[in-house]
Amino acid sequence: MDGNKNLQVEQALKDLFQLRNDVETELRLIRLEPFSGEFVDFPPRLAPEIAAIYKRRGIERLFSHQAEALDNVLQGRHTVVATPTASGKTLIYNAAALDALQRDPQAKSLYLFPTKALSQDQLAELFDLNKALGDRLGLYTYDGDTPTSMRQAIRKQAQIVITNPYMLHSGILPHHTKWASLFENLKYVVIDELHYYTGVFGSHVANVMRRLKRVCAFYGTKPVFIMSSATIANPAELAAKLIEEEVALVDRNGAPRGAKFLVFFNPPVVNRQLGIRRSYVSMTREIAGILLKHGLQVITFANSRLITEILVKYLKNDFEKTVRDRDTVRGYRGGYLPKLRREIEKGLRDGKIRAVVATNALELGIDIGSLDAAVLASYPGSISSTWQRLGRAGRRGSQSLGVLVASSMPIDQYIVSHPEYFSGQAPEVGRINADNLTLLVDHVKCAAFELPFAKGDRFGAENLEEILAYLAEHGVLLAKDGKWFWTEEGYPADAVSLNRVTSDNFVVVDRTAGERVIAEVGFSDALETLHPKAIYILEGEQYVVEELDYENRKAFLTRSNADYYTDSITYTKIKVLDIFDETRKKNMNFSYGDVHVFSQVVGFKKLKFFTMENVGAGELQLPQQEMHTTGFWLTVKNEVLQSLDFSNEEKIEAVAGIAYLMKQISPVILLCDMRDVGVAIEDNLTKDPLHPGALKGMLRGQVDMAFADRFEPNIFIFDKYPGGVGFSETLYEKGSVLLAKALEVIENCPCPSGCPSCVSPAIRAGGNHKAAARFLLKLLLERLDNRRQSG
């Protein structure tokens, strides 16, 4: 079987090289050598009965990292395991929990997973182990779907409670007296997918961990934390910040793996004058098709729900030709109802589904079996995420294939041209800021509701007594005899969302024939995907949005045969609230501080399937969204802009091109996901925003360009997390490095006058904004002795 699979992979690889020759483009190949694995005996500290259970299941010896981590945990050391996908991390915490129960039937363990889907997946694995134990374990998931009638029994009987941080925050800790049995006997806390706990979510969860440890101390327990993570640059640091304890790191992988081929495929240039490449979506379609024709089971990852559904439609069109082929190609993303997701997961494990197109919803460790090939439709935005996705393909005894299809974005072009950046660079740093004052005050309220604070208590690095005094002044707490008590009605946790956005989902209702709920969409995505006249795609089927009921969080749709899809247009405005630091240079200023971001969906484009032709547009007036965060901004001095020997239109377009590049290149500096940062441009003097619609209007002669004589641009790169998590401060410190990398991209790009891979294509025919952007960056970096145009 493995020999056949190896042959299929090799034949598919030959066809990819042939495709490279046919379309005359670039392909780079990296081969990861196979590894036979490193096996060791079960640690002597593990109860023999538990080791025997695993041996009866065919696991005679452990991978070296499993044994090392398990031994740490059994010695009572907080431990984080950072090894690749499918390396057997689950066994570590399951064996520890079973060992605790073997020694003390009253022992409890609390499992935390970032999503409900992962919780259900883990429950299935534990059920199998429980059968081997004679069904004597109390195993339960506790989440928003748990029936009220079962909750009391779970609180009393559960020995392993599987939940998520949201439920711990709002459903367990505020009611800890009902969970006394759990907290009095809590031996282990498992935090799976640690790399997921970054940014604002991770900062919130760190505060939830403070509250958990505080409640445990009240009941006289000090649980051991067991954490597992994909490969990130700082797993031990992130784990230590999350639980505020010393943590042992296990990161030398002992699991075997087959050989893996990594292919970096750059779509061919189709317009050399404009530097435009063939669509990465159509290229992904063709590459996935080649792999499927060779009998490989394929997972394709897209970076948005829209591209996911477009690829599902394309692949269904290509491969579901007969009734027998129906549902062999499926989609998978957030918004699908749980029953549909479970059906797709099972189909992948069984092999009935030959291809799935997914967002990052399948990036986490949900069990879908081991597939043969992974295709990434453009760079996911981070090295860590790329490895997670590529890790979805690969059986231990056979070869596998991973293909990254580059888009025209500068960061994609940088990586596909420099695979050594990808293979040699440490993965991203996981950043959290648990002492962000806004978050901290919210969790101090939650903690005070759970247990009164006393003089001398600690909660984070800030001065707790000042926070308590502030809350007492505002009537939230009552200060009495050196203690602070909660005084308000209701649970404060109900008002605190761990994502710092509203937790309201929009229900998607199909009323083609009656009314039926077909999906849910998160609040942050709803305005972009469910606006009136939007084409909403679900598993390749198109629906048109007839009505968006914003107040009641519902969207009403009907089936559609439209030959186009829609893409929303968002307008962003920035208001500076406070400047933390500023560096004044000869030709520019760098600043860093608090900003308020206003964003609004103002319109949409209609793009034709298959050809991507723009066939129409529409205007929208949807509610404005606001966020308080931190930002870094570059101010280009007016006299520097005026000194350029270019037209006003070229100057403005050059500024927009530099902003585009800064947004694209900043993840290389930050080692973060591109979606972690946003960009905006405004006039430093008038504070008027320069958004894409206005830019196009100016460059079409519809706006008086005299304003450019007074224009002093601020280019903002802001944290896309409320309160900020440190990205802006890092960019402030490395602003000159960011501009130097932007200049390097422009100078290395072969296009004559701007393309999507550098400063974006010129909007006006005959414009020379690429040269203007290059010259301006040289001035800003003071690489020119005079201000004559150098060509």
Side-chain angles (χ1 to χ4, degrees), residues 652-674:
I652 300 301
E653 204 172 346
V655 168
I658 291 170
Y660 169 79
L661 254 183
M662 287 172 65
K663 162 74 162 64
Q664 295 288 324
I665 297 300
S666 56
V668 176
I669 304 284
L670 296 168
L671 291 175
C672 73
D673 191 304
M674 193 183 302

Side-chain angles (χ1 to χ4, degrees), residues 55 104 108 363 410 418 527 625 685 689 737:
K55 287 177 180 179
D104 176 9
K108 314 280 187 184
E363 190 177 302
H418 302 83
L527 298 181
Q625 306 302 304
L685 304 177
V737 177

Side-chain angles (χ1 to χ4, degrees), residues 370-389:
S370 295
L371 311 182
D372 304 312
V375 182
L376 279 56
S378 86
Y379 179 58
S382 71
I383 297 170
S384 176
S385 186
T386 304
W387 280 118
Q388 278 284 96
R389 295 180 183 194

Side-chain angles (χ1 to χ4, degrees), residues 219-396:
Y219 287 96
T221 54
K222 189 174 182 182
V224 174
F225 285 83
I226 310 170
M227 293 161 280
S228 69
S229 174
T231 306
I232 57 174
N234 63 334
E237 179 193 7
L238 179 60
K241 284 185 175 180
L242 196 71
I243 66 169
E244 295 181 325
E245 301 280 356
E246 186 177 333
V247 176
L249 170 65
V250 176
D251 61 355
R252 196 166 66 87
N253 182 26
R257 64 171 182 268
K260 185 185 286 284
F261 296 97
L262 301 183
V263 176
F264 296 80
F265 198 100
N266 207 5
V269 175
V270 293
N271 185 322
R272 296 200 176 277
Q273 186 64 26
L274 298 178
I276 295 172
R277 293 181 179 273
R278 181 177 164 186
S279 161
Y280 77 94
V281 177
S282 66
M283 204 80 248
T284 299
R285 172 193 184 185
E286 187 166 350
I287 288 170
I290 288 171
L291 305 185
L292 285 166
K293 285 172 184 174
H294 282 286
L296 301 177
Q297 192 181 17
V298 180
I299 182 167
T300 299
F301 282 102
N303 292 340
S304 72
R305 295 179 178 189
L306 177 60
I307 299 301
T308 298
E309 293 293 357
I310 290 170
L311 280 168
V312 171
K313 182 176 179 65
Y314 289 177
L315 290 174
K316 278 182 175 287
N317 187 69
D318 293 342
F319 288 94
E320 293 189 357
K321 302 289 189 184
T322 68
V323 174
R324 192 176 65 177
D325 298 329
R326 189 173 178 180
D327 289 338
T328 54
V329 175
R330 304 296 293 269
Y332 190 104
R333 60 172 175 78
Y336 284 17
L337 297 177
K339 184 180 177 183
L340 178 59
R341 290 201 298 267
R342 300 297 88 75
E343 176 193 317
I344 296 165
E345 291 160 18
K346 185 176 184 299
L348 285 166
R349 288 193 297 269
D350 296 345
K352 292 176 182 176
I353 296 175
R354 302 307 304 159
V356 63
V357 186
T359 59
N360 61 355
L362 272 183
E363 190 177 302
L364 299 176
I366 296 166
D367 182 15
I368 54 171
S370 295
L371 311 182
D372 304 312
V375 182
L376 279 56
S378 86
Y379 179 58
S382 71
I383 297 170
S384 176
S385 186
T386 304
W387 280 118
Q388 278 284 96
R389 295 180 183 194
L390 292 172
R392 278 308 195 174
R395 305 172 198 270
R396 286 172 186 160

Side-chain angles (χ1 to χ4, degrees), residues 38-46 61-75 81 88 91-92 250:
E38 185 178 346
F39 298 86
V40 297
D41 292 332
F42 283 83
R45 290 184 177 86
L46 183 69
R61 305 182 80 203
L62 297 182
F63 304 146
S64 56
H65 67 274
Q66 292 175 324
E68 181 186 351
L70 188 52
D71 197 47
N72 280 341
V73 170
L74 294 174
Q75 291 181 67
V81 188
L91 179 145
I92 298 162
V250 176

